[in-house]
């Protein structure tokens, strides 16, 4: 606290990211990074962009990246917005599109940055309970008479549960709320879900947000994008251009373009993670864990006989870091990022030892 702070700062509750420990030899399964590296072509493009041209500002519109994304997803460039990680894209969307007189609706168990942005931008919100099986119920997001949202946001697959909503249910929500923006945060969709990007031509109220941090293994580059009707994108551009003209630097634009163009590497590296995830789910189930069905690059699991916090602490003693949330209804769960086959084997061995198997 300081008397020099703006008044609003006193009331903020900032987001707490998963830790990035400085120790070597950790099995780091806590922040849903991709276990295999980015496209070698992306690395090469970043190296090539490391030149004297860095004395010049980057393209404020990142047109090359929008063109590459437009081609990959069958869109027009004016249906795309890019930002410094999807967190920045989300932040601009909260300001530009989700702030209305009526409350913003989102699940009570979800990406914990959403309430933080609500706090930052003063957005009234309603948190809707997940079903008993930890799924998001589409029915809960349909307007009932005058009880309708100002806007809706949820991740699909949801985080930290990993559960996927069928694309038909996503479209039902979008269609039923034609007067409100529905933002689908598809940070993890490439690991097993159908993207709602294919729906945006039919629904001018749908915004879909993606990140390069997970399926494209470029968390360190900080690139995310939104796809939607050109008028939604225009609102995002207005906010972005009132905040930072150059959110993507030259290296990020070059690396992201090359990543989008390397479809083979993208497909193959996602396929490997999905195969490892499915094997890990089987192994943990055999150890007695209850594992929620996951369409993401992480799993959410609890053991009926062992406390979640205690298991996380035991793993940490063995230099294995997973994520544990001290929150109602999920404090018995561990969120475990799918690592390499070797990392997952180390994890399973450690859990066997901890459980005395
Ligand atoms: N959405 C969800 C659901 C996430 O889990 C994350 C990662 N913490 C993000 C968005 C943000 O990812 P990034 O800013 O790295 O693009």
């Amino acid at each position: 606290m300081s008397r020099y702070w703006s008044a609003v700062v006193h009331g903020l509750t900032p987001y707490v990211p998963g830790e990035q420990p400085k120790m070597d030899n950790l099995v780091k399964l806590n922040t849903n990074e991709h276990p295999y590296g980015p496209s070698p072509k992306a690395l090469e493009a970043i190296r090539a962009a490391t030149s004297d041209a860095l004395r010049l500002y980057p393209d404020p519109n990142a047109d090359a990246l929008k063109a590459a994304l437009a081609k990959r997803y069958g869109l027009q460039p004016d249906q795309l917005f890019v930002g410094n990680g999807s967190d920045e894209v989300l932040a601009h969307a909260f300001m530009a599109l989700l702030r209305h007189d009526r409350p913003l609706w989102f699940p009570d168990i979800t990406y914990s940055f959403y309430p933080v942005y609500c706090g930052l931008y003063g957005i009234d919100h309603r948190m809707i309970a997940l079903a008993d099986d930890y799924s998001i119920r589409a029915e809960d997001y349909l307007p009932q008479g005058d009880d309708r949202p100002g806007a809706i946001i949820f991740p699909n697959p949801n985080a930290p549960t990993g559960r996927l909503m069928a694309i038909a249910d996503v479209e039902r929500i979008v269609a039923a709320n034609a007067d409100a923006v529905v933002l689908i945060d598809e940070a993890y969709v490439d690991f097993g879900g159908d993207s709602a990007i294919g729906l945006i031509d039919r629904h001018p109220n749908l915004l879909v947000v993606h990140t390069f941090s997970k399926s494209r293994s470029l968390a360190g580059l900080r690139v995310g994008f939104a796809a939607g009707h050109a008028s939604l994108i225009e609102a995002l551009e207005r906010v972005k251009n009132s905040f930072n003209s150059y959110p993507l630097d030259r290296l990020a634009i070059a690396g992201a373009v090359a990543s989008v163009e390397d479809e083979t590497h993208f497909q193959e590296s996602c396929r490997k993670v999905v195969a490892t995830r499915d094997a890990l789910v089987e192994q943990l189930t055999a150890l007695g864990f209850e594992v929620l069905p996951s369409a993401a690059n992480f799993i959410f699991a609890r053991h009926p006989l062992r406390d979640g916090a205690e298991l996380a602490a035991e793993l940490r003693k063995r230099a294995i870091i997973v994520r544990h949330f001290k929150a109602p209804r999920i404090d018995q769960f561990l969120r475990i990022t799918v690592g390499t086959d070797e990392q997952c084997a180390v994890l399973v061995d450690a859990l066997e030892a901890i459980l005395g198997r």
Side-chain angles (χ1 to χ4, degrees), residues 256-274:
V257 167
S259 165
V260 173
E261 289 174 347
D262 192 351
E263 188 66 23
T264 310
H265 180 274
F266 170 71
Q267 296 291 349
E268 178 55 18
S269 65
C270 290
R271 190 197 59 72
K272 274 167 47 183
V273 170
V274 169

Side-chain angles (χ1 to χ4, degrees), residues 15 85-87 90 111 114 155 159 185 187-188 211 213-214 222-223:
Y15 175 71
S86 63
D87 280 339
L90 291 169
Y111 185 30
Y114 301 162
D185 177 353
Y188 301 102
T211 178
S213 300
K214 316 295 179 180
R222 310 306 300 132
V223 182

Side-chain angles (χ1 to χ4, degrees), residues 27-43:
V27 176
K28 187 176 174 305
L29 304 175
N30 67 331
T31 46
N32 299 342
E33 287 128 334
H34 200 295
Y36 304 110
S39 159
K41 292 178 183 161
L43 299 181

Side-chain angles (χ1 to χ4, degrees), residues 30-343:
N30 67 331
T31 46
N32 299 342
E33 287 128 334
H34 200 295
Y36 304 110
S39 159
K41 292 178 183 161
L43 299 181
E44 187 43 47
I46 293 165
R47 273 191 288 270
T50 307
S51 74
D52 186 51
L54 282 177
R55 74 191 175 75
L56 300 172
Y57 283 106
D59 173 5
N61 294 317
D63 282 335
L65 179 54
K66 288 182 185 171
L69 288 168
K71 188 163 172 227
R72 165 67 174 76
Y73 290 96
L75 300 170
Q76 298 301 314
D78 67 357
Q79 293 175 300
L80 287 157
F81 176 81
V82 297
N84 188 264
S86 63
D87 280 339
E88 186 184 80
V89 176
L90 291 169
H92 290 337
F94 271 73
M95 176 62 138
L97 298 166
L98 307 184
R99 186 182 188 190
H100 298 282
D101 292 340
R102 290 177 186 272
L104 171 67
W105 291 6
F106 55 82
D108 63 340
I109 296 170
T110 193
Y111 185 30
S112 47
F113 226 133
Y114 301 162
V116 173
Y117 291 134
C118 288
L120 179 62
Y121 296 126
I123 301 172
D124 188 14
H125 56 283
R126 179 189 297 179
M127 301 211 272
I128 300 176
L130 295 184
D132 288 342
D133 65 0
Y134 294 90
S135 62
I136 299 174
R137 261 185 311 244
E139 298 71 45
D140 294 344
Y141 294 80
L142 306 179
Q144 305 290 334
D146 196 41
D147 190 25
R148 359 186 222 108
I152 293 172
I153 182 171
F154 61 89
N156 197 37
N158 194 14
T161 64
R163 292 208 67 142
L164 182 73
M165 180 185 288
I167 194 75
D169 282 333
V170 172
E171 186 162 23
R172 200 147 61 98
I173 294 171
V174 175
N177 288 284
D179 291 336
V181 169
V182 179
L183 194 163
I184 311 295
D185 177 353
E186 293 189 339
Y188 301 102
V189 79
D190 297 324
F191 299 104
D194 290 326
S195 174
I197 289 181
L199 305 178
I200 65 179
D201 281 335
R202 291 210 289 280
H203 300 285
N205 60 322
L206 171 62
L207 191 77
V208 183
V209 172
H210 277 216
T211 178
F212 280 58
S213 300
K214 316 295 179 180
S215 55
R216 296 188 179 277
S217 195
L218 284 168
L221 202 63
R222 310 306 300 132
V223 182
F225 70 93
H229 191 278
S231 74
L232 300 186
I233 300 302
E234 189 187 339
L236 294 172
E237 298 287 0
R238 289 175 73 119
V239 170
K240 171 251 174 189
N241 288 319
S242 306
F243 181 81
N244 177 5
S245 307
Y246 306 105
L248 293 196
D249 60 54
R250 285 176 171 270
L251 308 187
I253 294 170
V257 167
S259 165
V260 173
E261 289 174 347
D262 192 351
E263 188 66 23
T264 310
H265 180 274
F266 170 71
Q267 296 291 349
E268 178 55 18
S269 65
C270 290
R271 190 197 59 72
K272 274 167 47 183
V273 170
V274 169
T276 305
R277 176 189 73 208
D278 294 348
L280 180 61
V281 169
E282 251 178 57
Q283 288 167 310
L284 293 191
T285 307
L287 285 177
F289 279 90
E290 180 198 344
V291 186
L292 297 189
S294 170
N297 69 334
F298 58 85
I299 59 169
F300 207 47
R302 66 180 161 194
H303 199 281
L305 307 176
R306 296 297 286 265
D307 179 65
E310 191 188 303
L311 278 178
E314 285 295 326
L315 286 170
R316 174 175 285 269
K317 283 188 203 157
R318 293 163 171 82
I320 301 169
I321 317 273
V322 299
R323 192 96 194 252
H324 173 259
F325 298 91
K326 284 195 196 76
R329 280 184 76 194
I330 56 169
D331 62 347
Q332 292 307 309
F333 282 88
L334 301 178
R335 193 197 67 188
I336 305 170
T337 303
V338 177
T340 60
D341 287 332
E342 294 71 30
Q343 287 176 316

